[in-house]
């Protein structure tokens, strides 16, 4: 469909009276379990799709909308077709087949009768009292009618044209829609950061109307107007933040570092491999940046396993060679520890001292490391966001590297740089199309590692169902017997970090007594102390453990080339980006590596779970997967679920929204230029700061 030029056309949405005095902030922040029909179980399921607060319900848009399908009389249904039928329930029964729960009901209208089927929705049974009138949307086939949604008499009509939200198999669309309706009623005034004059100028509907249009549209066109309006807000705020950032950058100056010398030469010759052409090019580009007095702002983009760390260390060593310091900031502790081990190993023979700073260090250790950083005795510091806390005072920071940078918001990224002006290299494994990179990161230069190191073979990926998981373990044992190592990734459960850890321990124990009896099995999870975790990783790296049973903490950064096989349990529960990251932990050496995705039976999976698993089997190309992920999930998620702050684009569809982006850019410029609305800027940024937390 065509992109609406303006946003006119929503004035008619008058069914939602606004009460300006509504205490919106409290209502937006209220936990979802305060809504009708949400107990602890449903609340947990909602949390799994990111819905914790009432505001989350409003700010998570649909994946897509169900197009209307023809209404038919039962006797008119013919072959395989989608339709809406209406009738009365005659009878109802349920049965099990394996883990599949099947509910069937006889539905009759004046023309005939048909057998309707629901899968895995046992709670529907008690509602299908004989005699009840019902509307069904679904697909007719030779067995009857497979129901995709339904409304009972008197319920809001959702069986025809309706939004489809991100969900899991134990969370029905009906529930998700109904909760949106409740949220819209509860929060009639969701706040509005744009002042009236700007709204008028841009022909934007009020935010509350846009949200209604998004969640309860009467047509696709209306839904698109709502989405565009919300996307425009996001883009405007993002562009304002980027303008501010680049203004700060323009004024900043850094010391030029001169050409590389003997230390870098020793580093290169010490590497056990030759650099790829792409790595060489990236290094050249970095050298050119470092020779200037304008601080480097470069994005190094490369798929998992493409060899970004080697390049990053090069940049850090350039600082050390100049007698100054380098810092590497990572989003997680495990990743910081991993990088620390790798860097420490590579730097030992160069006489370069590397320190690790994370917030889980004991107070005493923390102080010691801070002292090393302040005195300059630590040449390179690896750490989490602990690095950007106020009390950390670098002696002379020259180069900062930010790893997996999409996980940090704009705010956190700039905190590392504030008050100093080091050269900065950003690393990301998420392939970001050029337009998106520009939008989200502003005027960063980009270097790309497009070609993987030569000896690399693509990981062979297979999808097997649970009933064949013993075969998967047999295959894994063969690798272990050949002297290789393996990962087993535990299911993603919705519980707390402590419960996740407990479940992982239990699984490791079960495997030690079962499929992996006689092998050395370690267990890695987020609840281990620093010392334990570091020890565990070091032992796995040294080959003293055969298998690492792990939660998703291994998702990024773990680098053990001898690990050649991975089993992911209940793989259907993971997101595509997450699966791709996990798979990147194998295939890091010259050996052929394997990734075995284990899931429940196909008919028990959601539509999108099947799409994800199929995509993983079909390709190892991160770009391709990112594209598929876009299709399956929508664009805003591309940058990673945990991302926060300004770069959180929920409603933007960049490929579709080029015009919007242009408009937002122009508007942002005119706002910053001190036009009549200049004082709007701080308020917008302030409000967005707040929204980023949703
Ligand atoms: P990324 O951080 O991009 O996921 P890494 O930097 O961790 O990738 O590199 C992955 C693996 O490839 C590491 O074991 C690293 O030592 C190795 N590696 C890096 N560059 C090369 C190269 N040019 N040739 C061979 N192996 C390489
Ligand atoms: Mg890496």
């Amino acid at each position: 469909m065509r992109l609406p030029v303006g946003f006119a056309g929503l004035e008619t949405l008058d069914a939602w009276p606004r009460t300006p005095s509504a205490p919106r902030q409290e209502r937006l922040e209220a936990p979802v379990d305060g809504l009708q029909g949400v107990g602890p179980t449903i609340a947990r399921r909602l949390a799994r799709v990111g819905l914790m607060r009432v505001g989350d319900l409003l700010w998570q848009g649909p994946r897509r909308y169900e197009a209307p399908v023809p209404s038919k009389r039962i006797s008119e249904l013919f072959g395989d077709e989608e339709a809406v039928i209406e009738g009365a329930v005659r009878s109802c029964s349920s049965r099990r087949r394996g883990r599949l729960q099947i509910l069937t009901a006889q539905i009759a209208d004046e023309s005939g009768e048909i057998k309707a089927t629901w899968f895995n929705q046992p709670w529907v049974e008690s509602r299908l009292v004989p005699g009840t009138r019902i509307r069904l949307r679904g697909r007719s086939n030779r067995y009857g009618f497979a129901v995709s949604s339904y409304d009972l008499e008197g319920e809001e009509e959702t069986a025809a044209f309706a939004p489809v939200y991100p969900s899991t198999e134990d969370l029905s669309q009906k529930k998700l829609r109904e909760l949106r309706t409740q949220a819209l009623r509860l929060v009639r005034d969701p706040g509005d950061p744009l002042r009236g004059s700007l709204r008028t100028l841009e022909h934007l509907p009020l935010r509350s109307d846009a949200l209604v249009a998004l969640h309860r549209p009467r047509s696709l066109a209306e839904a698109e107007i709502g989405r565009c309006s919300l996307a425009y807000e996001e883009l405007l705020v993002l562009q304002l933040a980027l303008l501010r950032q680049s203004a700060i950058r323009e004024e900043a100056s850094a010391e030029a570092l001169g050409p590389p010398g003997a230390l870098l030469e020793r580093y290169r010759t010490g590497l056990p491999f030759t650099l790829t052409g792409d790595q060489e090019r990236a290094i050249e580009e970095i050298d050119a940046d470092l020779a200037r007095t304008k601080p480097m702002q470069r994005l190094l983009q490369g798929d998992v396993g493409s060899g970004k760390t080697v390049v990053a260390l090069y940049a850090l060593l350039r600082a050390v060679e100049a007698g100054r310091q380098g810092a590497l900031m990572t989003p997680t502790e495990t990743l910081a520890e991993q990088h620390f081990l790798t860097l420490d190993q590579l730097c030992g023979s160069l006489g370069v001292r590397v320190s690790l700073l994370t917030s889980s260090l004991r107070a005493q250790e923390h102080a010691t490391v801070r002292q090393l950083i302040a005195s300059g005795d630590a040449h390179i510091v690896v750490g989490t966001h602990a690095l950007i806390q106020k009390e950390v005072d670098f002696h002379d920071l020259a180069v900062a590297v930010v790893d997996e940078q999409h996980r940090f918001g704009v705010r956190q990224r700039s905190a590392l740089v504030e008050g100093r002006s080091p050269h900065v290299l950003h690393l990301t494994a998420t392939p970001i199309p050029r337009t998106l990179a520009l939008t989200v990161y502003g005027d960063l230069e980009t270097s790309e590692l497009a070609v993987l190191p030569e000896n690399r073979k693509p990981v062979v990926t297979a999808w097997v169902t649970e009933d064949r998981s013993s075969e998967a373990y047999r295959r894994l044992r063969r690798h272990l017997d050949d002297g290789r190592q393996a990962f087993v990734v535990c299911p993603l459960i919705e519980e707390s970090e402590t419960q996740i850890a407990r479940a992982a321990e239990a699984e490791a124990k079960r495997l030690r007594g079962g499929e992996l009896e006689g092998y050395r099995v370690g267990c890695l999870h987020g609840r281990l102390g620093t010392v334990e975790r570091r020890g565990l990783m070091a032992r796995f790296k040294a080959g003293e453990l055969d298998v690492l049973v792990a939660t998703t903490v291994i998702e990024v950064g773990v680098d053990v080339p001898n690990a050649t096989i991975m089993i992911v349990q209940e793989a259907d529960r993971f997101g595509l980006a997450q699966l791709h990251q996990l798979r990147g932990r194998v295939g890091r050496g010259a050996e052929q590596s394997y990734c075995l995705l284990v899931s429940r039976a196909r008919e028990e999976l959601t539509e999108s779970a099947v799409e994800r698993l199929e995509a993983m089997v079909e390709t190892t190309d991160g770009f391709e997967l990112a594209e598929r992920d876009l299709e399956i999930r929508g664009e805003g998620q591309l940058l990673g679920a945990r991302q926060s702050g300004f770069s959180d684009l929920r409603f933007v569809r960049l490929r579709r929204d080029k015009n919007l982006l242009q408009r937002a850019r122009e508007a942002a410029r005119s706002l910053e230029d001190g036009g009549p609305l200049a004082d709007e800027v701080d308020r917008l940024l302030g409000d967005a700061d707040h929204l980023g937390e949703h």
Side-chain angles (χ1 to χ4, degrees):
M1 69 169 295
R2 261 168 47 84
L3 187 88
V5 177
F7 294 94
L10 286 180
E11 296 86 314
T12 49
L13 291 172
D14 48 10
W16 303 85
R18 275 177 290 281
T19 43
S21 59
R24 63 170 167 109
Q25 217 42 59
E26 279 154 52
R27 291 187 177 189
L28 284 170
E29 309 241 326
V32 284
D33 60 11
L35 295 174
Q36 254 169 45
V38 183
T41 312
I42 298 284
R44 259 201 316 277
R45 292 173 185 168
L46 290 170
R48 246 177 37 211
V49 287
L51 304 171
M52 269 77 80
R53 292 178 281 184
V54 171
D56 299 333
L57 286 161
L58 298 179
W59 265 273
Q60 186 190 75
R63 282 180 57 189
R64 60 184 172 86
Y65 294 87
E66 262 170 4
V69 292
S71 286
K72 295 247 162 143
R73 287 161 19 125
I74 290 175
S75 63
E76 289 168 356
L77 291 173
F78 182 74
D80 186 8
E81 67 173 334
E82 244 197 310
V84 170
I85 57 174
E86 222 172 322
V89 178
R90 277 282 157 78
S91 62
C92 172
S93 67
S94 68
R95 66 199 155 92
R96 295 206 138 264
R97 208 177 70 214
R99 288 174 70 166
L100 197 59
Q101 205 271 354
I102 304 169
L103 178 64
T104 51
Q106 272 316 114
I107 307 292
D109 67 7
E110 62 293 341
S111 76
E113 222 174 283
I114 196 164
K115 188 173 74 178
T117 312
W118 284 256
F119 294 104
N120 285 339
Q121 296 173 56
W123 57 86
V124 176
E125 184 167 4
S126 64
R127 313 194 68 198
L128 300 181
V129 181
T132 310
R133 292 210 54 88
I134 191 168
R135 268 166 61 89
L136 299 173
R137 179 188 170 119
R139 190 168 269 287
S140 67
N141 55 38
R142 60 201 167 99
Y143 306 110
F145 194 79
V147 178
S148 57
S149 62
Y150 73 98
D151 306 315
L152 298 183
E153 190 167 24
E155 284 184 334
E156 218 171 331
E157 227 179 75
T158 59
F161 177 75
V164 179
Y165 293 100
S167 78
T168 54
E169 73 277 4
D170 50 13
L171 205 51
S172 71
Q173 287 300 329
K174 191 177 183 62
K175 184 62 140 193
L176 291 168
R177 287 168 190 160
E178 195 267 315
L179 290 176
R180 257 67 183 207
T181 305
Q182 278 194 55
L184 286 170
R185 290 225 164 90
L186 189 68
V187 191
R188 294 212 172 111
D189 171 17
D192 211 326
L194 289 190
R195 197 208 289 186
S197 39
L198 185 56
R199 283 214 179 271
T200 315
L201 207 69
E202 289 285 342
H203 305 289
L204 293 171
L206 290 166
R207 185 187 259 184
S208 51
D209 291 340
L211 284 168
V212 172
L214 184 80
H215 293 291
R216 311 288 294 125
R218 291 169 296 196
S219 67
L220 270 183
E222 200 172 271
E224 180 66 359
I225 291 172
R227 184 194 69 76
C228 284
S229 164
L230 295 164
Y232 177 86
E233 281 183 24
E234 291 181 330
L235 288 169
L236 179 63
V237 165
L238 183 67
Q239 293 308 313
L240 284 170
L242 290 174
L243 279 179
R244 288 251 158 125
Q245 220 181 32
S246 72
I248 294 169
R249 229 182 261 158
E250 276 308 309
E251 287 177 15
S253 71
E255 255 176 76
L257 289 184
L263 177 67
L264 275 309
E265 194 46 46
R266 277 200 288 142
Y267 170 57
R268 277 165 170 282
T269 50
L271 287 173
F273 43 74
T274 46
L275 297 175
T276 64
D278 283 350
Q279 283 171 322
E280 288 289 2
R281 190 159 337 108
I283 281 174
E284 261 171 46
E285 287 161 347
I286 288 168
D287 279 337
D289 289 347
L290 295 180
R292 283 198 282 267
T293 53
K294 186 172 171 243
M296 168 167 77
Q297 279 297 339
R298 181 167 293 279
L299 181 68
L300 178 62
Q301 187 174 314
D303 209 347
V304 285
S306 61
K308 294 184 292 297
T309 313
V310 182
V311 177
L313 181 53
Y314 178 91
L316 294 169
L317 287 172
R318 292 291 320 273
V320 178
E321 191 172 60
R324 306 178 61 194
Q325 289 170 299
L328 170 57
M329 182 163 86
T330 70
T332 68
E333 297 223 340
T334 320
L335 187 50
E337 279 154 21
Q338 269 298 304
H339 274 312
F340 173 72
L341 288 175
T342 312
L343 265 53
D344 199 38
Q345 196 185 6
L346 287 165
C347 288
S349 59
L350 299 172
V352 171
R353 287 186 297 275
V354 185
S355 296
L356 176 67
L357 187 76
T358 62
S359 40
S360 72
L361 290 183
R362 272 176 291 123
Q364 181 60 47
E365 286 176 284
H366 202 273
T368 312
V369 177
R370 279 197 333 255
Q371 174 54 33
L372 292 173
I373 295 173
S375 67
D377 283 332
H379 297 141
I380 295 177
V381 189
V382 181
T384 53
H385 52 272
L387 281 180
I388 57 178
Q389 256 114 50
K390 270 197 203 69
E391 66 270 19
V392 180
D393 182 24
F394 280 87
H395 177 65
D396 187 10
L397 182 64
V399 175
V401 176
V402 184
D403 194 10
E404 300 295 340
Q405 72 134 4
H406 61 280
R407 298 213 178 178
F408 296 101
V410 171
R411 183 130 312 189
Q412 280 168 302
R413 274 185 264 147
S414 51
L416 185 63
V417 188
E418 239 156 45
R420 322 173 176 116
S421 42
H423 296 283
V424 185
L425 181 67
H426 307 264
L427 310 183
T428 181
T430 310
I432 304 171
R434 182 79 196 138
T435 46
L436 183 52
L438 261 179
T439 314
V440 183
Y441 305 121
D443 49 357
L444 295 191
E445 304 283 341
T446 309
S447 299
E448 199 183 333
L449 305 183
V451 182
L452 297 185
E454 249 170 33
N455 55 6
R456 214 55 68 65
K457 298 189 184 73
V459 178
V460 174
T461 305
W463 170 18
V464 296
T465 46
E466 267 166 2
D467 49 322
R468 290 175 48 211
S469 78
S470 62
E471 273 173 53
Y473 281 98
R474 203 172 311 136
R475 194 124 146 225
L476 183 134
R477 287 195 300 269
R478 274 211 301 277
H479 281 247
L480 302 182
D481 294 339
D482 287 342
R484 308 271 158 231
Q485 289 164 285
F487 296 106
V488 174
V489 180
C490 293
L492 193 64
I493 52 175
E494 68 219 64
E495 316 296 330
S496 70
E497 190 77 36
T498 310
Q499 279 163 310
I500 295 171
R502 224 177 275 147
E505 296 279 10
E507 181 59 13
K509 189 168 168 214
R510 190 189 72 75
L511 288 168
R512 282 186 197 111
E515 285 96 332
L516 299 177
E517 197 176 347
Y519 297 95
R520 297 163 300 174
V521 178
C523 181
L524 180 71
H525 54 70
R527 272 293 133 110
L528 291 179
T530 317
V531 179
E532 278 169 297
R533 190 162 28 166
R534 220 186 286 172
L536 193 67
M537 280 318 303
R539 277 166 64 209
F540 189 60
K541 264 197 151 172
E544 290 163 24
L545 290 171
D546 301 305
V547 182
L548 211 51
V549 173
T551 60
T552 51
V553 295
I554 63 156
E555 187 189 335
V556 281
V558 172
D559 183 25
V560 179
N562 191 46
T564 53
I565 187 164
M566 163 178 287
I567 288 180
V568 183
Q569 299 178 338
E570 297 191 26
D572 51 288
R573 290 176 173 250
F574 293 90
L576 198 46
Q578 209 168 18
L579 286 172
H580 181 57
Q581 286 281 345
L582 284 169
R583 178 167 61 184
R585 300 312 108 210
V586 293
R588 300 173 82 82
E591 293 300 315
Q592 177 62 60
S593 291
Y594 298 85
C595 176
L596 308 175
L597 305 171
V598 181
S599 82
R600 285 163 299 157
R602 192 183 173 113
E603 62 266 33
E604 292 180 49
L605 301 180
T606 59
E607 175 190 346
S608 56
V610 171
E611 289 168 31
R612 289 196 298 272
L613 293 170
E614 283 177 344
M616 283 293 291
V617 172
E618 281 161 27
T619 180
T620 54
D621 180 337
F623 253 109
E624 171 76 28
L625 286 170
E627 290 277 309
R628 299 266 193 111
D629 207 22
L630 284 188
E631 282 158 25
I632 301 172
R633 289 203 301 173
E635 196 127 9
Q637 299 286 315
L638 174 66
L639 301 171
R642 260 160 287 186
Q643 155 198 37
S644 61
F646 299 135
S647 42
D648 215 347
L649 301 177
R650 290 160 186 275
F651 300 110
V652 177
R653 305 279 175 272
L654 278 166
R655 279 178 296 186
R656 236 193 281 171
D657 291 346
K658 290 206 185 79
N659 297 344
L660 267 191
L661 175 58
Q662 196 50 40
R663 275 169 61 181
R665 262 202 204 128
E666 280 159 22
R669 276 200 205 105
S670 70
L671 285 173
E672 272 292 7
D673 282 352
L677 296 172
D679 56 336
E680 192 92 334
V681 175
D682 290 306
R683 210 153 56 77
L684 278 173
L685 291 176
D687 192 82
D689 224 11
H690 182 82
L691 286 177
E693 290 156 25
H694 276 281

